[in-house]
Amino acid sequence: MQVLIQLLITGIAMGFIYALVAIEYTIIWNATGLLNFSHDKFILFGAYMFAGTYVLSLGLPPVIAVLCTIITMFLFGIVSAFVIFNPLSRLSTNLFAVIGTVILGRIITEAVRLIWGPLPFSLDGFLKGSYKIGSVVVSRSHVIIILVCTLITVSLQLFFKFTKTGKAMRCVSENKTAASLMGVNVSINIALTVGISAVICAIIGILVVPIFNVELQMSSMIGLKGFASGVIGGFGHLPGAILGGILLGVVEIFGSMIIPSVYKDCLSFILLIIFLLIKPSGLLRDRK
Amino acid sequence: MRRFKKLITVLLASSLLVTTLSACGNSAGESKTTGESGAKSTATGKSIKVGVSNMMTGPMAAGGIRMKQAITLAFEEINAKGGVLDGRPLEMVLVDDAGTQTGAVNAVNKILGDNVAVSIGPHTSSMVSATQEIYRKAGVPFITAATSPKLVEAENPYFFRISVSDGAVGPAMVDFAIEKYNAKKIAALYDTDDYGVAADGATKSFCDEKGVEYYSEGLTTGDKDLTSQLSKIKSWEPDVIFDFTHDAEAALTVRQLSELGMDDIPHVGPNALAMSQTYDLCDAEQLEGTYASTDFFADETNETMKAFLDRFHDRWNEDVERYAAMYYTAAYLVADAIERAGSDNPEEIRKALSETKDFEAVFGSLNCNDKGEMNTNLYILVFDGEKSMSVAQ
């Protein structure tokens, strides 16, 4: 029983990470109609910037380092929106934009390798430790992942529903021409969206630092699984992305209790293929 | 459209630039061979050629540098003392194998074309399995520190190994667990590659022999979340946990064992955990009390080892690690075998190598068995709270 509870918490925590990844690229998809293929590299960049520069080189306390990383990544997002997403999303075919984001991903990876070096490292003592409730041991990092992710999803929903900027962003994702006719500045809107997406990426990167090592491959698997959870939940649909992420995290970890754990990753992708074959619109998409 | 073209040009140019720069970054590390030049040779006779297949470039280049430095140092020392066979110096025929299988095949062919008496390397198990038939055909013995237990299946009389086979590591760990913790149930986490599967298999059959219950869970290289494997192990309630994994996963195992509240179960890690690039990834507190099994440990309390560490540091201004210790030993073993054979004939040297008995290496004595395995000196190290290690067995 305790093992089940422990696994459930781990599953939900990983699920929330996948959900955040799905959210982060879904908002760009909604705003620009582009798939950001460099999204997992944004996560990588955020994690390295936080751990490598702000904590290890500059020696800032974690809270300030988190703030600095968020601000830097927001600016990075804005810049890449003006340089890549905005011009590319206006082109006749999406193919150019796809290639553009793939290349952006390569540039980020190589830049990370040049700046911080190829050797992996870790942060001593950051979000370390565990809570003991009876005989169930819950790691502190998993609890924090669940709390932070819930906070982000709720505040994003509130932002989109109740603020003027949020409403404008939803307008842009519905119809760009109509939005610009109504006086919404589409390019600034897209820049803001990419900025927010980059901030979410940075937060994902920071959250996985205590459970993974900081290395060049750290985000590739969560990137892929985040993509899968978006498809499972309903592509381009935010609540669907969250549901898909948590479902994937939980199914994956409980599935590995039945089948050998080595095939854990296969399970996620089998689930993705099943959904593509049977219900391509995803779990929640048809409500729209 | 013009704007787009401009953008793509800039993107391509910068990605090119980044790639070139990163290539430069890789090669920068290689030219770092500092330190004053070595001792002068006093041997004057006709030199005896010793082939060295060395990974000077490629993914293993860091190890290749140490390997080259170690052999160079050993040959300088031997030649300064008058060489072998009454004044004949040893000469290194150094060829780059780039750390790949094709590279190794080319390198070994080139070495053999140079009529060497005996050869050292290549280093990795995959490179050895690609080249050992070439050595057999040419009738030239070679010494390696590759660790895969599969290599002896070729029954190659020209194959000599001075590292401890992965197949021998598991049983030694089981003996340790029984002796120290009176273990009845042992669980293991293993990488599902060549190394992990072999180690897991050897440990399983040894446990069956000893009447110890054994349970193992696999993982794939690159896995980040080991919770499900470790939870399954936890619910099985083992007395001792082993892991047969590589650098990144070994560090993750230490961390996630602690996160799951499994610190109280003794944990014996793989040789990867005994290397600084791995244990630097772990938290000192989480590492405390963890064991690591390895065939190399820079034990400063051992005089022979200490003297070697100092000499190596004086010559190259670098610290000794596993590569250096292994191939320094290989170089001395070559000299010893030539001396015992009394000739530079490869077949005679092979015979001498196969008769190696009580050869004193920096890390212990070497004895050759009928499969060409020479080393059974395995350390079990234990970490204290400050990431320093001491010998537990």
Side-chain angles (χ1 to χ4, degrees):
Chain A
M1 190 59 203
Q2 356 154 336
V3 175
L4 288 186
I5 296 173
Q6 195 150 23
L7 284 182
L8 187 66
I9 292 171
T10 315
I12 292 177
M14 286 318 286
F16 264 115
I17 293 282
Y18 301 153
L20 274 195
V21 176
I23 290 173
E24 149 263 300
Y25 78 80
T26 302
I27 58 175
I28 293 193
W29 165 259
N30 284 345
T32 61
L34 288 185
L35 267 183
N36 177 11
F37 274 93
S38 57
H39 71 112
D40 59 323
K41 306 300 185 284
F42 277 49
I43 299 175
L44 180 80
F45 195 39
Y48 266 89
M49 192 186 291
F50 168 73
T53 303
Y54 289 124
V55 178
L56 289 180
S57 323
L58 299 179
L60 298 178
V63 181
I64 298 175
V66 169
L67 284 178
C68 291
T69 313
I70 288 178
I71 294 167
T72 330
M73 281 302 282
F74 184 72
L75 293 178
F76 174 73
I78 304 262
V79 170
S80 43
F82 278 114
V83 179
I84 300 200
F85 293 95
N86 259 334
L88 292 190
S89 65
R90 286 197 210 105
L91 294 172
S92 54
T93 153
N94 274 345
L95 194 66
F96 296 130
V98 169
I99 304 280
T101 61
V102 169
I103 289 180
L104 176 66
R106 286 299 303 165
I107 294 176
I108 295 176
T109 322
E110 293 302 327
V112 166
R113 196 202 306 276
L114 280 178
I115 302 171
W116 289 284
L119 290 180
F121 56 92
S122 67
L123 281 188
D124 259 22
F126 176 63
L127 298 187
K128 200 191 64 178
S130 43
Y131 302 113
K132 228 176 181 154
I133 311 156
S135 52
V136 183
V137 184
V138 184
S139 108
R140 189 160 157 235
S141 49
H142 285 149
V143 175
I144 288 176
I145 287 176
I146 295 177
L147 290 179
V148 172
C149 294
T150 320
L151 192 73
I152 293 178
T153 16
V154 171
S155 42
L156 263 184
Q157 292 294 344
L158 294 179
F159 174 75
F160 282 131
K161 280 237 155 70
F162 296 111
T163 64
K164 207 173 168 190
T165 332
K167 283 179 188 161
M169 283 181 178
R170 272 169 45 218
C171 286
V172 172
S173 65
E174 287 283 324
N175 189 330
K176 281 191 196 59
T177 330
S180 62
L181 284 175
M182 295 296 144
V184 177
N185 187 334
V186 175
S187 3
I188 288 189
N189 225 287
I190 289 180
L192 267 183
T193 316
V194 178
I196 291 175
S197 171
V199 167
I200 300 176
C201 287
I203 294 173
I204 300 170
I206 294 169
L207 286 175
V208 296
V209 163
I211 39 179
F212 301 167
N213 299 322
V214 184
E215 50 156 340
L216 291 167
Q217 300 300 322
M218 64 186 288
S219 61
S220 46
M221 198 44 101
I222 50 176
L224 277 176
K225 285 186 185 160
F227 185 77
S229 45
V231 174
I232 290 170
F235 209 82
H237 188 53
L238 280 187
I242 300 164
L243 184 72
I246 296 174
L247 182 79
L248 196 67
V250 174
V251 165
E252 178 184 273
I253 206 129
F254 279 105
S256 64
M257 290 303 276
I258 305 159
I259 58 163
S261 323
V262 192
Y263 301 114
K264 196 179 75 184
D265 293 338
C266 299
L267 203 65
S268 318
F269 299 122
I270 289 173
L271 200 65
L272 170 69
I273 293 172
I274 292 176
F275 265 89
L276 283 176
L277 288 176
I278 296 173
K279 205 167 183 311
S281 58
L283 279 172
L284 294 182
R285 191 61 177 173
D286 49 6
R287 279 198 202 154
K288 204 175 169 186
Chain B
M1 200 60 202
R2 191 179 299 154
R3 198 168 163 190
F4 168 72
K5 264 186 189 160
K6 223 168 154 186
L7 186 72
I8 288 290
T9 327
V10 171
L11 275 177
L12 283 176
S14 44
S15 71
L16 256 176
L17 187 70
V18 165
T19 327
T20 355
L21 280 177
S22 73
C24 297
N26 286 343
S27 60
E30 287 160 28
S31 53
K32 234 177 67 186
T33 43
T34 50
E36 68 270 41
S37 62
K40 281 271 172 310
S41 170
T42 58
T44 47
K46 186 171 174 280
S47 65
I48 298 179
K49 286 180 178 169
V50 178
V52 176
S53 170
N54 177 263
M55 47 242 173
M56 280 182 273
T57 57
M60 312 271 302
I65 296 170
R66 292 292 170 280
M67 177 174 173
K68 182 182 157 200
Q69 289 171 339
I71 300 173
T72 310
L73 174 68
F75 280 8
E76 278 169 5
E77 286 172 6
I78 293 163
N79 292 342
K81 282 183 202 141
V84 290
L85 301 179
D86 298 321
R88 294 180 65 182
L90 292 174
E91 181 194 335
M92 177 156 56
V93 179
L94 185 75
V95 183
D96 181 18
D97 59 31
T100 63
Q101 297 193 17
T102 28
V105 170
N106 292 337
V108 169
N109 278 326
K110 198 167 170 212
I111 286 170
L112 292 173
D114 224 334
N115 289 323
V116 297
V118 50
S119 184
I120 300 174
H123 172 73
T124 68
S125 299
S126 54
M127 290 196 283
V128 171
S129 48
T131 53
Q132 66 166 322
E133 289 311 311
I134 310 176
Y135 278 121
R136 192 204 309 244
K137 254 186 214 150
V140 173
F142 71 107
I143 301 171
T144 179
T147 57
S148 169
K150 278 191 186 162
L151 296 175
V152 295
E153 284 170 16
E155 296 184 350
N156 186 348
Y158 296 92
F159 166 86
F160 296 96
R161 160 150 60 201
I162 52 165
S163 57
V164 178
S165 157
D166 290 334
V169 175
M173 283 158 67
V174 174
D175 276 337
F176 172 76
I178 294 175
E179 201 173 296
K180 177 112 184 173
Y181 291 102
N182 196 17
K184 299 265 185 298
K185 290 172 91 176
I186 294 175
L189 195 63
Y190 68 97
D191 196 305
T192 46
D193 69 353
D194 220 29
Y195 151 72
V197 170
D200 174 59
T203 314
K204 186 174 181 352
S205 52
F206 191 75
C207 277
D208 287 347
E209 241 173 68
K210 289 270 173 179
V212 174
E213 278 185 81
Y214 182 73
Y215 172 80
S216 60
E217 277 287 325
L219 60 89
T220 328
T221 315
D223 268 0
K224 303 278 177 258
D225 181 22
L226 312 173
T227 324
S228 57
Q229 283 95 333
L230 293 178
S231 299
K232 276 178 165 176
I233 287 177
K234 190 183 180 187
S235 61
W236 192 71
E237 294 178 349
D239 298 325
V240 177
I241 298 174
F242 291 174
D243 79 280
F244 304 109
T245 53
H246 299 291
D247 305 16
E249 292 77 27
L252 285 177
T253 308
V254 171
R255 192 175 313 165
Q256 297 188 2
L257 275 172
S258 155
E259 305 264 297
L260 289 175
M262 296 162 79
D263 309 76
D264 48 337
I265 311 172
H267 168 213
V268 187
N271 63 14
L273 194 59
M275 292 192 266
S276 63
Q277 76 254 32
T278 305
Y279 65 70
D280 277 348
L281 291 174
C282 301
D283 205 278
E285 227 171 276
Q286 294 174 344
L287 204 57
E288 187 174 356
T290 301
Y291 299 96
S293 59
T294 177
D295 52 2
F296 168 73
F297 174 53
D299 185 2
E300 301 213 344
T301 56
N302 175 336
E303 269 176 42
T304 331
M305 181 62 97
K306 178 84 175 76
F308 165 56
L309 298 178
D310 290 344
R311 279 202 305 277
F312 193 86
H313 195 270
D314 287 349
R315 177 71 177 87
W316 302 110
N317 206 14
E318 297 274 3
D319 284 331
V320 169
E321 32 68 292
R322 188 169 171 273
Y323 292 103
M326 286 294 159
Y327 288 103
Y328 182 78
T329 303
Y332 265 97
L333 185 63
V334 160
D336 179 67
I338 295 174
E339 204 68 67
R340 277 186 288 129
S343 109
D344 60 358
N345 179 311
E347 195 53 44
E348 300 282 325
I349 297 175
R350 187 202 69 78
K351 199 158 162 284
L353 278 172
S354 70
E355 286 162 357
T356 304
K357 209 169 173 304
D358 297 325
F359 174 80
E360 283 308 317
V362 285
F363 45 73
S365 67
L366 298 181
N367 291 291
C368 191
N369 74 3
D370 55 353
K371 285 175 178 149
E373 305 260 19
M374 296 200 175
N375 194 348
T376 50
N377 301 291
L378 200 74
Y379 294 95
I380 305 253
L381 306 173
V382 61
F383 285 94
D384 66 8
E386 279 148 4
K387 289 192 179 178
S388 53
M389 297 175 283
S390 56
V391 180
Q393 182 182 305

